[in-house]
């Protein structure tokens, strides 16, 4: 089957209600068995059907995907509700972005709204604070507070879980607080106070309390470093900026020309600003040119595209073929590299070629301390090759608010990578049963950390339900020490994800790899015997900070 290259940014489709238990999700000392997806809205239909309004100006607007917006900044209590008053035990999760947030403002997610002034509320607040509250007749009681950067224009994943009299709140997988309350049932909602905001990917899953059951699988016994105190990334401040523009209005007309102009042995921060356009060129960041930043000038990642179309099987002019690594449109060997607001792509057309090897890499990383912020990675097979300089070296990368698409093994390699609040989109290969594999890690056994997906949304363009694997273990050249490590946590998984999402590769069993999940939701988050889950006690070992800290305490997370 040839693979579809459609790249629509629709989020997870609304899942049908089912009476089959979807498994166990940890909740304190007990576990909550989420039995069904009660409600889901990605606003792809362009309207607010299914919601009831109370104040404010609500509409669906275009974002990276369609999103719900509240645009009236002078309203002290704008709310939108969904669901029924009979909902009791459930979890509600949504992506939330404050557009304006004045000193008296708030942007919130609501649970168990038994009336217009009685509910549980998880709110983003000015002063870098997130707060979980019980609100009764308009009077708020604080259940928990977390100091966390709250920036306008940034997406955050808020989640409230209510089971019996217990309520808990999370922001981007970090617990804000918990407490007990007497609000027994009610709808879900979104709310602003003297603020404007956008909401997307709202999902409600039901649950009931069950006895604690041991999780499937046991994580590795390697003891990771303690959580570090947040520190700067170590990248020197930018002291040189040049502009790339195809029309000749900048310093250079190609990205590689700007990179070439950086002196070897660079020790200062240098920024390359790229104006809108499609740059069909191969780009390499050499190892002796660290501390570089590439940034799209408009802030919209779609406006600046760096692409080429080599595949593994593409013939080289001097004979032979490029191979997987050689197919990369962009290769990053220089450490302390940052990319913001742009697109990296491999535009190889599979339908127009009949190569025996059609791996086509958009980005190959072999360096350390890399940051990708609002970056799109486009391709089909082997889109993002996150590797390291050699098998004894760890290469770390932080992917924040990014978009990655592909079909076969499209996030792979031995690198240590955190995907924070990203959309991971599986393309349709035209199969009813196998539309590919999201990950193919080759993490070395000496490294406790491979790929972490936290607060992400796994979507598809049109792949069939139950047709996509979360991953399979890659052993390059049969290396028995490449024991892949992946965790999906606090993420929303679409219906395309298989109930048994891990599979073998090249004779190596997935059960020997280090594959785990934790607190995922959505129609693809069914917990079965083939889905190892972290326990609440194990989960703090697998956070973004732990993955990226290394020996130097690197912490780029924001």
């Amino acid at each position: 089957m040839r693979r579809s290259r459609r790249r629509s940014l629709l989020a997870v489709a609304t899942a049908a209600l089912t009476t089959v238990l979807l498994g166990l999700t940890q909740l304190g000392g007990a576990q909550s068995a989420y039995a069904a997806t009660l409600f889901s809205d990605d606003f792809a239909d362009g309207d607010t059907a299914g919601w009831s309004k109370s104040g404010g100006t609500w509409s669906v607007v275009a974002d990276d995907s369609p999103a719900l917006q509240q645009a009236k900044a002078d309203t002290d209590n704008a709310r939108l509700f969904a669901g029924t008053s009979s909902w009791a035990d459930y979890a509600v999760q949504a992506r939330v972005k404050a557009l304006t947030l004045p000193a008296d403002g708030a942007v919130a997610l609501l649970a168990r709204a038994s009336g217009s002034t009685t509910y549980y509320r998880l709110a983003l607040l000015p002063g870098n604070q997130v707060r979980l509250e019980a609100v009764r007749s308009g009077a708020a009681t604080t259940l928990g507070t977390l100091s966390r950067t709250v920036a306008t224009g940034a997406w955050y994943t808020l989640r409230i879980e209510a089971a019996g009299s217990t309520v808990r709140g999370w922001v981007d997988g970090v617990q804000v607080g918990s407490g007990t309350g007497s609000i027994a049932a009610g709808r879900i909602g979104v709310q602003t106070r003297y603020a404007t905001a956008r909401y997307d990917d709202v999902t409600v899953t039901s649950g009931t309390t069950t006895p604690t059951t041991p999780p499937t699988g046991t994580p590795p016994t390697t003891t990771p470093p303690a959580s570090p105190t947040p520190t700067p990334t170590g990248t020197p401040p930018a002291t040189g900026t040049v502009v790339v523009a195809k029309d000749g209005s900048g310093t250079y007309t190609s990205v590689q020309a700007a990179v070439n102009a950086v002196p070897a042995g660079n020790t200062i921060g240098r920024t390359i600003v790229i104006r809108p356009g499609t740059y069909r060129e191969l780009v390499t960041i050499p190892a002796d040119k660290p501390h570089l930043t590439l940034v799209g000038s408009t802030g919209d990642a779609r406006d600046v595209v760096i692409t080429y179309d080599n595949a593994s099987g593409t013939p080289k002019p001097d004979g032979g073929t490029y191979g997987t690594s050689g197919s990369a449109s962009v290769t990053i060997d220089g450490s302390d590299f940052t990319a913001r607001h742009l697109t990296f792509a491999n535009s190889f057309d599979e339908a127009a070629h009949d190569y025996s090897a059609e791996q086509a890499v958009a980005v190959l990383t072999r360096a350390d301390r890399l940051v990708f912020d609002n970056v799109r990675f486009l391709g089909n097979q082997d889109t993002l090759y996150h590797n390291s300089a050699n098998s004894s070296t760890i290469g770390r990368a932080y992917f924040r608010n990014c978009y990655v698409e592909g079909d076969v093994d499209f996030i792979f390699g031995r690198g240590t990578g955190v995907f924070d609040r990203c959309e991971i989109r599986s393309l349709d290969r035209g199969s009813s049963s196998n539309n590919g594999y999201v990950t193919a890690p080759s993490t070395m056994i000496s490294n406790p950390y491979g790929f972490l997906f936290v607060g992400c949304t796994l979507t598809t363009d049109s792949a069939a339900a139950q047709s996509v694997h979360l991953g399979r273990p890659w052993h390059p050249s049969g290396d028995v020490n490449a024991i892949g490590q992946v965790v999906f946590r606090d993420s929303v998984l679409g219906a395309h994800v298989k109930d048994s999402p891990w599979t073998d590769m090249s004779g190596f069993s997935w059960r020997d790899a280090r594959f785990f999940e934790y607190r995922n939701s959505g129609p693809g988050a069914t917990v079965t015997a083939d889905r190892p889950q972290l326990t609440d006690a194990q989960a703090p070992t697998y956070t973004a900070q732990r993955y990226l800290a290394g020996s130097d305490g690197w912490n780029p997370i924001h």
Side-chain angles (χ1 to χ4, degrees):
M1 289 288 184
R2 293 296 177 186
R3 304 176 182 95
S4 167
R5 295 194 60 81
R6 286 186 292 171
R7 293 179 176 132
S8 60
L9 290 175
L10 299 179
V12 181
T14 301
L17 181 64
T18 174
T19 58
V20 179
L21 289 179
L22 296 185
L24 301 174
T25 298
Q26 304 282 336
L27 185 56
Q31 293 178 327
S32 185
Y34 291 114
T37 299
L38 295 177
F39 178 86
S40 175
D41 201 343
D42 61 8
F43 306 103
D45 55 7
D47 59 40
T48 56
W51 296 83
S52 60
K53 185 177 71 172
S54 179
T57 301
W58 299 90
S59 63
V60 176
V61 299
D63 206 305
D64 285 340
S65 63
L68 174 68
Q69 176 170 287
Q70 200 294 106
K72 193 170 176 60
D74 59 353
T75 301
D76 66 345
N77 193 6
R79 291 153 298 176
L80 211 62
F81 296 106
T84 71
S85 59
S86 63
W87 283 357
D89 290 357
Y90 63 78
V92 54
Q93 180 168 296
R95 295 172 63 231
V96 181
K97 174 166 49 175
L99 301 177
T100 60
L101 191 62
D104 56 350
V107 174
L109 179 67
L110 309 181
R112 283 191 181 172
S114 62
S116 61
T117 60
T118 299
Y119 37 75
Y120 293 119
R121 176 169 62 197
L122 184 60
L124 302 175
L125 301 170
N128 294 325
Q129 189 177 97
V130 185
R131 185 183 301 158
L132 178 66
E133 299 173 318
V135 180
R136 295 192 66 88
S137 300
T141 300
T142 299
L143 302 179
T145 301
L146 177 70
S147 294
R148 171 73 181 246
T149 300
V150 178
T152 56
W155 284 103
Y156 300 88
T157 299
L158 300 186
R159 180 180 178 89
I160 305 174
E161 293 186 2
S165 62
T166 302
V167 60
R168 288 181 167 89
W170 285 266
V171 56
D172 295 332
V174 178
Q175 188 165 324
V176 175
S178 65
T180 58
S182 58
I183 306 173
R187 303 167 293 173
I188 59 100
V190 293
Q191 179 188 47
T192 64
R193 180 180 70 221
Y194 295 122
T196 59
R198 288 182 182 172
Y199 300 84
D200 203 356
D201 299 331
V202 182
T203 305
V204 185
T205 48
S206 69
T208 56
T209 301
T210 65
T212 300
T213 302
T216 303
T218 302
T221 56
T222 305
T223 302
S227 295
T229 301
T231 60
T233 64
T235 303
T239 58
T241 299
V242 297
V243 175
V244 174
K246 288 177 66 66
D247 62 5
S249 61
T251 317
Y252 303 96
T253 58
S254 77
V255 178
Q256 189 62 50
V259 173
N260 292 344
V262 175
N266 178 62
T267 59
I268 63 174
R270 298 178 185 269
T271 299
I272 299 171
V273 177
I274 309 172
R275 290 180 178 162
T278 296
Y279 296 79
R280 188 181 183 278
E281 57 177 302
L282 296 171
V283 174
T284 298
I285 311 296
D288 61 359
K289 296 185 180 184
H291 309 304
L292 299 190
T293 295
L294 303 186
V295 57
S297 64
T298 69
D300 188 333
R302 295 166 294 188
D303 290 343
V304 176
V305 180
I306 301 172
T307 186
Y308 211 73
D309 58 357
N310 284 334
S312 177
T314 300
K316 297 173 65 175
D318 56 352
T321 58
Y322 283 99
T324 300
S325 295
S327 73
S329 301
V330 176
T331 301
I332 301 169
D333 289 317
S335 293
D336 297 297
F337 171 86
T338 299
R340 295 192 180 96
H341 314 312
L342 46 78
T343 295
F344 296 124
N346 190 311
S347 50
F348 172 69
D349 186 351
E350 294 180 340
H353 299 84
D354 190 22
Y355 296 154
S356 60
E358 295 189 332
Q359 298 90 340
V361 176
V363 172
L364 165 62
T365 73
R366 294 186 294 215
D368 191 29
R369 295 186 302 273
L370 312 178
V371 174
F372 298 90
D373 198 345
N374 185 30
V375 172
R376 300 164 75 229
F377 300 85
L378 309 183
N380 272 53
Q381 183 172 352
D382 291 9
T383 304
L384 176 55
Y385 191 176
H386 178 34
N387 217 33
S388 64
N390 52 64
S391 61
S392 62
T393 301
I394 294 176
R396 295 165 292 174
Y398 177 52
F399 302 85
R400 175 181 179 272
N401 285 338
C402 290
Y403 170 87
V404 190
E405 73 168 28
D407 47 38
V408 175
D409 307 332
F410 61 97
I411 299 173
F412 73 112
R414 65 170 173 256
T416 294
V418 171
F419 295 82
D420 183 3
R421 292 162 279 175
C422 297
E423 179 179 0
I424 312 299
R425 174 156 293 230
S426 293
L427 300 179
D428 184 6
R429 301 171 66 200
S431 171
S432 62
S433 60
N434 186 358
N435 282 299
Y437 319 87
V438 175
T439 66
S442 57
T443 326
M444 299 306 294
I445 187 58
S446 58
N447 182 5
Y449 296 126
F451 300 150
L452 172 67
F453 297 82
V454 57
C456 293
T457 306
L458 273 63
T459 65
T460 183
D461 58 346
S462 57
Q466 296 284 321
S467 68
V468 172
H469 296 85
L470 289 180
R472 56 183 183 169
W474 181 37
H475 293 256
S477 302
D479 189 347
V480 296
N481 293 314
I483 309 297
Q485 200 279 330
V486 178
V487 172
F488 285 87
R489 62 173 297 170
D490 304 292
S491 295
V492 180
L493 312 186
H496 60 294
V497 175
K498 286 177 171 284
D499 285 348
S500 296
W502 309 104
T503 191
D504 303 341
M505 185 177 187
S506 302
F508 289 92
S509 172
W510 73 265
R511 296 180 187 279
D512 296 328
R514 296 169 286 175
F515 294 160
F516 299 95
E517 295 180 73
Y518 181 70
R519 291 189 182 276
N520 292 321
S521 61
T526 304
V527 179
T528 69
D530 289 332
R531 302 184 79 150
Q533 304 288 308
L534 297 175
T535 67
D536 283 345
Q538 294 159 347
T541 302
Y542 299 91
T543 63
Q545 289 83 358
R546 290 288 185 94
Y547 270 68
L548 298 178
S551 60
D552 57 3
W554 187 51
N555 187 358
I557 301 162
H558 64 290

